[in-house]
Amino acid sequence: MTRRLMLEINGGTSVLMERSRRSRSVNIFVSPAGVRVAVPYWVSFAEAESIVRKRFGWIERNILRMEEFRRTYAPELLEMPTEKEAREKIENKLKCLAEEHGFSYNRLTIRRQKTRWGSCSHSNNISLNICLARLPADLMEYVILHELVHTRVKDHGRVFRRELDRLIGDSRGHEKRLKGYHLELLGSF
Ligand SMILES: [Zn+2]
């Protein structure tokens, strides 16, 4: 059974159709990554396609809204790695930065999270959001360094801030820019 199918509808909008075990019905997701359709196992791709075509007006309106949002809040172009590439990229970056600056951490978990970019537990387990791979390089670095500094300093006080500024410079500026990248819009891998 085909698991994925790329369609082009109405003169050039790419739509990725994917088999999904979790979906109870044909679900259409519009994100800056494009249009993705989750198709349950009991629905044929042909049926799903006809549903997508019927809802094309809705899809188009959402694409436009998304584009406008992206231009306003996240003007830099976002990369579109696959999930595997994203994981490798994040893992390597963490390793390199830890080595370069002499940090050590316990375990890394890469997750899809809706509300946080990363966290560091009391036992120095670092958790990073897979969507980091889609940020501009310096912002991804900022988030990873932020969590690495937490391996030594748990709060966000003066010591923390000074250390982070020393490593990346203008940490508050980075933080502000990061706010322009909304996780809910980056979440579709
Ligand atoms: Zn923090």
Side-chain angles (χ1 to χ4, degrees), residues 9 44 65 108 117 120 124 132 158 170 186:
I9 53 170
S44 72
R65 247 188 31 209
L108 166 67
W117 289 107
C120 176
N124 291 343
L132 279 176
R158 279 227 310 274
D170 190 22
L186 298 175

Side-chain angles (χ1 to χ4, degrees), residues 16-172:
L16 174 66
M17 303 224 273
E18 267 180 322
R19 286 284 165 208
S20 160
R21 285 181 195 288
R22 274 171 296 174
S23 289
R24 295 275 156 262
S25 57
V26 174
N27 288 317
I28 305 173
F29 303 96
V30 181
S31 80
V35 182
R36 184 180 156 261
V37 183
V39 186
Y41 277 86
W42 59 86
V43 178
S44 72
F45 275 153
E47 281 171 83
E49 183 180 340
S50 86
I51 293 173
V52 169
R53 287 187 189 279
K54 271 185 215 140
R55 298 197 62 194
F56 192 70
W58 175 88
I59 292 172
E60 216 168 32
R61 279 197 303 282
N62 275 281
I63 292 174
L64 287 176
R65 247 188 31 209
M66 200 70 75
E67 268 301 299
E68 202 180 298
F69 196 93
R70 193 182 62 74
R71 269 199 304 274
T72 313
Y73 294 103
E76 284 156 275
L77 255 186
L78 305 168
E79 272 196 67
M80 278 301 306
T82 65
E83 177 163 349
K84 187 167 167 270
E85 286 165 351
R87 284 179 184 278
E88 276 169 15
K89 189 172 165 186
I90 293 168
E91 216 177 298
N92 288 340
K93 197 72 192 168
L94 177 70
K95 260 188 215 150
C96 286
L97 286 171
E99 212 175 280
E100 186 183 339
H101 300 291
F103 288 104
S104 61
Y105 55 93
N106 202 7
R107 188 159 37 87
L108 166 67
T109 322
I110 297 172
R111 276 186 266 214
R112 212 178 295 249
Q113 286 172 295
K114 291 224 163 78
T115 53
R116 344 177 51 170
W117 289 107
S119 61
C120 176
S121 75
H122 278 279
S123 42
N124 291 343
N125 291 320
I126 290 181
S127 163
L128 294 171
N129 195 316
I130 190 160
C131 295
L132 279 176
R134 303 194 49 201
L135 292 179
D138 63 325
L139 284 184
M140 171 170 154
E141 230 166 83
Y142 161 75
V143 174
I144 293 177
L145 284 170
H146 180 121
E147 302 313 334
L148 282 172
V149 173
H150 275 321
T151 61
R152 291 183 196 151
V153 190
K154 294 301 175 201
D155 58 31
H156 293 124
R158 279 227 310 274
V159 178
F160 175 85
R161 189 58 64 181
R162 200 169 51 222
E163 178 69 358
L164 192 53
D165 277 334
R166 188 179 66 79
L167 295 173
I168 197 159
D170 190 22
S171 64
R172 288 195 194 279

